[in-house]
Amino acid sequence: TFSLRPAGNLRGGGMMDRTRVDAEPGRTTVTHTIEVRDPSLWWPHNRGDQSQYVVQAKLDGDERTLRTGLRSVSVDNALRINGKRVRARGVTLIDPTPADIERAVEANANLVRIRAQGVPPAVATACDDRGVLLWQDLPLTGPGRFDAKRGIEIAKRLTRQLGHHPSLAAVGVHDDRVELGRRERRQRGLPGD
């Protein structure tokens, strides 16, 4: 059984779907899609509501639940959330806590960059709840050459782990800080503001 229901004060109906699963004893991966009609989208705090949903999957006596939101993130010549241009105003956090997310909102920031470490789960949840975009930055450091393949693998693993958080807007992996001029940002498809 798969279900999706609005979280918190979000109005609207839930959805439930069933599918048959035949598997041998052991570990099995089940993939299923639930069509969401007229979804309430998640927005940064200065652009709209932070609508979220609870997704639940049940198989026999086992149950998994997670909270998520529906939104799109893209970058062309600007950062776009749900197709609308969003000007990012943010801060970099070195040792983040949920209280730091509150302070970022009070400072009218709509993005936090978590630098040089993984995002603590409570911080990712605070970003979801408070409408703060999350930029996960994992510099690759250590002995030897920069390994781009390792960076890509880390980014993929991190995206799998954090991908259900609607606040996740970007994952970056780099060895050293890079300063890009306005022209270089445009050539690389990054926001120019």
Side-chain angles (χ1 to χ4, degrees):
T1 303
F2 300 92
S3 65
L4 177 92
R5 70 183 192 301
N9 296 328
L10 182 62
R11 298 204 184 268
M15 295 162 213
M16 187 160 87
D17 201 1
R18 293 179 180 267
T19 190
R20 181 176 173 86
V21 177
D22 293 316
E24 296 295 322
R27 187 177 189 110
T28 299
T29 300
V30 177
T31 303
H32 187 76
T33 302
I34 298 175
E35 184 179 330
V36 181
R37 291 178 287 280
D38 298 321
S40 294
L41 299 177
W42 183 95
W43 292 93
H45 70 86
N46 58 334
R47 296 302 295 265
D49 295 328
Q50 292 73 57
S51 302
Q52 295 183 57
Y53 292 89
V54 175
V55 179
Q56 185 177 62
K58 292 182 182 180
L59 180 62
D60 287 333
D62 198 17
E63 176 181 312
R64 295 287 186 261
T65 302
L66 68 80
R67 194 171 173 146
T68 192
L70 305 174
R71 55 82 186 109
S72 66
V73 177
S74 62
V75 176
D76 47 29
N77 62 346
L79 173 64
R80 296 186 186 279
I81 306 297
N82 303 321
K84 304 288 184 190
R85 182 181 176 159
V86 172
R87 184 173 292 228
R89 295 180 314 277
V91 296
T92 297
L93 303 175
I94 306 252
D95 191 16
T97 67
D100 292 325
I101 304 309
E102 292 298 323
R103 285 190 286 278
V105 170
E106 289 170 11
N108 201 27
N110 62 1
L111 179 137
V112 293
R113 175 181 171 219
I114 309 298
R115 187 165 184 274
Q117 65 172 304
V119 177
V123 171
T125 299
C127 287
D128 294 345
D129 293 345
R130 296 296 288 148
V132 176
L133 296 166
L134 176 59
W135 172 1
Q136 172 63 73
D137 182 32
L138 291 174
L140 288 179
T141 59
R145 293 181 48 232
F146 178 79
D147 184 354
K149 288 181 183 179
R150 179 173 173 256
I152 291 168
E153 182 55 36
I154 290 171
K156 284 180 181 179
R157 275 188 288 172
L158 190 66
T159 301
R160 281 192 301 269
Q161 180 182 352
L162 294 173
H164 69 279
H165 288 281
S167 57
L168 183 63
V171 175
V173 182
H174 199 276
D175 189 35
D176 293 313
R177 182 175 178 191
V178 175
E179 291 293 334
L180 298 176
R182 181 178 293 268
R183 181 176 178 190
E184 290 172 293
R185 286 195 299 262
R186 285 192 186 124
Q187 289 172 344
R188 293 183 182 205
L190 301 172
D193 296 332

